Amino acid sequence: MDISIVQLNTFMYAWIGLAIVILPIQFFITAPYGRHYNTAWGKSMSNRWGWVIMEAVSIIGLSILFLGAPGEKSLFAWVAYGLWALHYVYRSFIFPFRTRTKDKFIPIGIVASAIFFNLINAGTNGYYLGYLETYTNDWFFDLRFIIGIILFITGMLINFFADNYLIHLRNGNPNVYLIPRGGLFEYISCPNHFGEILEWIGFAIMCWNLPALGFAVWTVANLVPRAWSHHKWYRKTFSDYPEKRKAIFPGFL
Ligand code: NDP
């Protein structure tokens, strides 16, 4: 099936529009996994394997489309593919085995909706990078590439170190939650979500195409409300939670 750039972009406008509609709704419906886990969404499965399955879709989907596309690819397309792969190989096959969440569950409904979300985002980005891209080597000297890759790497490091800190915080006991302290945690409750948003905004600037922008907008639509729910939960759970700390954007929200 051949999809033209006009068709793909038309779809992307609709997909981005949907994210903008869903963003405010997500402030009222907290996705029930992690600390917000409950059984209201029906049957559950192992949290660890749920993460592996839902996140692996992203790297497998992107790889099938990108690597399976005929013809030569630009060097930049390989760089973009490599960065996506770096993030998602870690997120799918390493992160779930590092979290201290043994015997925890995740609703199958959450896993299914994440699979759908990842299929669309990996599908649109993979199709663009495999079949439609027209980057030349001059792109590596473009300000958009330079700003984008700096944001991507900065966001990735913030996300990795914040997740790493949280993983070690509970000292092995899956049911313990503590107040995170130090570094960016002094300013916001969820530096891991902030880093992830920075990362995909950087990717969108670096790639300068609508599928990459779509993924960044959806990441904002998912993670800003999730960080807000985490922040409310922290305030409710710990009476000594730092007053001035914001949810996700230092000094702002
Ligand atoms: P959380 O911050 O809720 O949890 C990260 C890990 O740390 C979990 O294992 C969690 O355990 C543990 N943890 C968190 N806070 C504490 C605490 N105060 N005390 C002890 N342990 C703690 O992250 P998410 O589950 O929301 O997301 C995980 C990663 O996936 C993040 O990097 C996020 O950016 C990314 N993500 C990306 C999305 C996207 O749209 N691109 C969507 C969702 C997530 P437990 O699970 O038991 O609570």
Side-chain angles (χ1 to χ4, degrees):
M1 181 178 57
D2 276 350
I3 299 168
S4 71
I5 185 72
V6 175
Q7 287 168 321
L8 183 67
N9 284 346
T10 306
F11 174 79
M12 287 317 304
Y13 286 123
W15 182 236
I16 290 170
L18 183 64
I20 293 168
V21 171
I22 282 186
L23 196 162
I25 298 172
Q26 300 231 81
F27 278 95
F28 300 96
I29 304 168
T30 302
Y33 64 98
R35 77 196 63 194
H36 310 291
Y37 174 73
N38 64 55
T39 49
W41 282 40
K43 279 201 162 73
S44 295
M45 65 181 291
S46 143
N47 180 72
R48 180 153 294 157
W49 289 104
W51 273 88
V52 172
I53 293 166
M54 67 192 185
E55 300 297 310
V57 165
S58 187
I59 182 57
I60 294 170
L62 189 85
S63 299
I64 289 173
L65 284 164
F66 181 71
L67 301 176
E72 210 162 299
K73 292 152 181 89
S74 70
L75 183 58
F76 175 79
W78 280 105
V79 170
Y81 171 74
L83 292 176
W84 184 294
L86 181 67
H87 178 96
Y88 272 103
V89 166
Y90 172 75
R91 178 70 75 231
S92 323
F93 305 115
I94 301 172
F95 173 78
F97 297 97
R98 298 190 66 225
T99 55
R100 313 302 211 243
T101 51
K102 194 170 176 292
D103 298 332
K104 284 198 157 183
F105 293 94
I106 186 167
I108 292 173
I110 290 286
V111 175
S113 57
I115 288 175
F116 174 73
F117 164 77
N118 282 334
L119 270 179
I120 304 271
N121 287 307
T124 51
N125 278 278
Y127 195 86
Y128 186 89
L129 290 175
Y131 293 84
L132 299 171
E133 60 102 2
T134 53
Y135 300 102
T136 62
N137 284 348
D138 292 348
W139 186 247
F140 290 109
F141 301 97
D142 193 292
L143 204 55
R144 288 165 288 184
F145 169 75
I146 295 164
I147 292 172
I149 195 150
I150 291 172
L151 286 179
F152 182 89
I153 292 170
T154 309
M156 184 180 239
L157 291 173
I158 293 174
N159 174 259
F160 175 81
F161 285 110
D163 269 344
N164 209 40
Y165 172 88
L166 291 170
I167 287 169
H168 290 98
L169 191 57
R170 61 168 45 134
N171 223 352
N173 185 338
N175 297 314
V176 167
Y177 287 96
L178 299 167
I179 300 179
R181 299 202 186 265
L184 264 180
F185 284 105
E186 292 304 318
Y187 305 95
I188 49 176
S189 294
C190 301
N192 53 343
H193 297 152
F194 170 71
E196 179 113 16
I197 286 175
L198 210 62
E199 198 178 336
W200 294 111
I201 287 179
F203 189 82
I205 295 174
M206 186 181 113
C207 294
W208 209 253
N209 63 53
L210 281 183
L213 177 66
F215 186 44
V217 174
W218 269 98
T219 300
V220 170
N222 286 333
L223 292 184
V224 172
R226 182 154 177 84
W228 180 251
S229 302
H230 278 26
H231 185 65
K232 273 196 322 197
W233 178 92
Y234 275 124
R235 296 187 87 119
K236 206 172 82 187
T237 308
F238 300 103
S239 56
D240 57 339
Y241 197 69
E243 271 287 312
K244 291 205 168 122
R245 202 177 284 189
K246 299 287 183 191
I248 183 158
F249 298 121
F252 168 58
L253 178 76

